[in-house]
Amino acid sequence: MQAKGEFEVTRIPQEELEIGEGATIGHSRFDKRFRGGLEASSVVHMLALMSPVQGSGAYVAIERIEGTLDGRRGSFFVQHNGTMDRGKPSLDVTVIPDSGTGELEGLHGRIGIDITDGKHYYTFDYDFRDA
């Protein structure tokens, strides 16, 4: 199954985190609102690090999404794993196994994110395992 739509993002910077020998990583909270096949809101906490080489870095995040997915109500968590290798991006956003609640119990899948002309779009390929 597949859900598609648009989402809005609000970034709320958090205090940087010390990671040893004076190095710090960025910490941000994002509040999102999804429209389309996924009608939901979410909270994301992201940790990010840029390397000294221009265009290279990484981020990890955990996101809790609550709302309806093609008419099924519940919540679930996703894990973000993103890297930038000298300007070449790679992103994996995956439903955390067995994190679905309510009518989203057994949910698994991946969410693709595209940003075009400053607008955020998602494509969510998913299905349900036996609970």
Side-chain angles (χ1 to χ4, degrees), residues 8 13 43 49 62-63 82-83 85 91 96 98 117 130:
E8 297 171 359
V43 173
L49 175 75
I62 299 291
E63 178 173 9
T83 58
D85 184 354
L91 178 61
I96 295 174
D98 299 315
D117 297 327
D130 291 333

Coordinates of all heavy atoms in Angstrom, one line a residue, residues 8 13 43 49 62-63 82-83 85 91 96 98 117 130:
E8 N 4.2 19.9 6.6 CA 4.8 21.2 7.0 C 5.7 20.9 8.2 O 5.4 20.0 9.0 CB 3.7 22.2 7.4 CG 2.8 22.6 6.2 CD 1.6 23.4 6.7 OE1 1.5 23.7 7.9 OE2 0.9 23.8 5.8
P13 N 15.1 24.8 17.6 CA 16.4 24.5 18.0 C 16.5 24.2 19.5 O 15.8 24.8 20.4 CB 17.2 25.8 17.8 CG 16.4 26.5 16.8 CD 15.0 26.2 17.1
V43 N 6.1 14.7 16.4 CA 7.3 15.3 17.0 C 8.5 14.5 16.7 O 8.5 13.3 16.8 CB 7.0 15.4 18.6 CG1 8.3 15.9 19.3 CG2 5.8 16.3 18.9
L49 N 25.4 16.1 12.9 CA 26.8 16.5 12.9 C 27.3 16.8 11.5 O 27.1 16.0 10.6 CB 27.7 15.4 13.5 CG 29.2 15.6 13.5 CD1 29.6 16.7 14.5 CD2 29.9 14.3 13.7
I62 N 14.4 10.2 15.9 CA 13.3 9.4 16.2 C 12.0 10.3 16.1 O 12.0 11.4 16.6 CB 13.4 8.8 17.6 CG1 14.6 7.9 17.8 CG2 12.1 8.0 18.0 CD1 14.5 6.6 17.0
E63 N 11.0 9.8 15.5 CA 9.8 10.6 15.3 C 8.5 9.8 15.7 O 8.4 8.6 15.4 CB 9.6 10.9 13.8 CG 8.4 11.7 13.4 CD 8.5 12.1 11.9 OE1 9.4 11.7 11.2 OE2 7.6 12.9 11.6
G82 N 20.2 9.7 8.1 CA 20.6 10.4 6.9 C 22.0 10.7 6.9 O 22.6 11.0 7.9
T83 N 22.6 10.6 5.7 CA 24.0 11.0 5.5 C 24.2 11.9 4.3 O 23.3 11.9 3.4 CB 25.0 9.8 5.3 OG1 24.5 9.1 4.2 CG2 25.0 8.9 6.6
D85 N 27.4 12.8 1.8 CA 28.7 12.5 1.4 C 29.2 13.4 0.3 O 28.9 13.1 -0.8 CB 28.8 11.0 1.0 CG 30.2 10.5 0.7 OD1 31.2 11.4 0.8 OD2 30.4 9.3 0.5
L91 N 19.1 8.9 2.6 CA 18.1 9.0 3.7 C 17.3 7.7 3.7 O 16.8 7.2 2.7 CB 17.2 10.2 3.5 CG 16.1 10.4 4.5 CD1 16.7 10.6 5.9 CD2 15.2 11.5 4.2
I96 N 9.6 1.8 13.0 CA 10.2 1.0 14.0 C 9.3 -0.2 14.3 O 8.1 0.0 14.5 CB 10.5 1.8 15.3 CG1 11.5 2.9 15.1 CG2 10.9 0.9 16.5 CD1 11.7 3.8 16.2
D98 N 7.0 -3.1 15.4 CA 6.0 -3.3 16.6 C 5.8 -2.0 17.4 O 5.4 -2.1 18.5 CB 6.5 -4.4 17.5 CG 6.6 -5.7 16.7 OD1 5.7 -6.1 16.0 OD2 7.7 -6.4 16.9
D117 N 10.9 23.0 -4.5 CA 10.5 24.5 -4.4 C 10.1 24.8 -2.9 O 9.1 25.5 -2.7 CB 9.4 24.8 -5.3 CG 9.8 24.6 -6.8 OD1 11.0 24.8 -7.1 OD2 8.9 24.2 -7.6
D130 N 0.9 -9.5 10.7 CA 0.0 -10.1 11.7 C 0.4 -9.6 13.1 O 1.6 -9.7 13.4 CB -0.1 -11.6 11.6 CG -0.7 -12.1 10.3 OD1 -1.5 -11.3 9.8 OD2 -0.3 -13.2 9.9

